Amino acid sequence: MLFELTNASSTFMRLIDYILRAFISRFVVVYFDNTLIYSTELDGHINYLRQIRDMFRKKSLYANTTTTTGKHYND
């Protein structure tokens, strides 16, 4: 998930690290405004996306869908 922040602050990174701490090193890597979710199969990946979405919702963080884009680095 690319948040596309300009001059992303360390405060934002700490917030995301804190929220996703249960997932980091299991299937998530966080770096400034990027969150990398990795898995070996599609079903597992979809499950991980749902877990992260649910965690963001639980912490009252939502995406602005008018500016959110899906970026794929393999394209």
Side-chain angles (χ1 to χ4, degrees):
M1 290 184 279
L2 182 61
F3 294 100
E4 295 191 25
L5 300 175
T6 303
N7 300 321
S9 68
S10 61
T11 303
F12 178 80
M13 185 173 168
R14 279 186 296 215
L15 173 66
I16 299 301
D17 279 341
Y18 178 76
I19 290 171
L20 299 179
R21 69 187 177 281
F23 308 131
I24 292 175
S25 296
R26 287 183 36 218
F27 58 87
V28 171
V29 174
V30 176
Y31 185 74
F32 290 105
D33 65 341
N34 291 311
T35 302
L36 174 65
I37 304 156
Y38 53 90
S39 70
T40 56
E41 55 188 45
L42 181 60
D43 291 338
H45 192 75
I46 292 169
N47 182 40
Y48 294 155
L49 288 171
R50 287 186 180 129
Q51 289 180 53
I52 291 172
R53 179 202 59 199
D54 293 344
M55 184 61 71
F56 282 158
R57 285 182 178 169
K58 181 178 175 184
K59 301 296 182 178
S60 300
L61 293 175
Y62 300 94
N64 181 350
T65 57
T66 60
T67 60
T68 303
T69 60
K71 295 210 177 186
H72 303 279
Y73 294 99
N74 293 338
D75 291 343

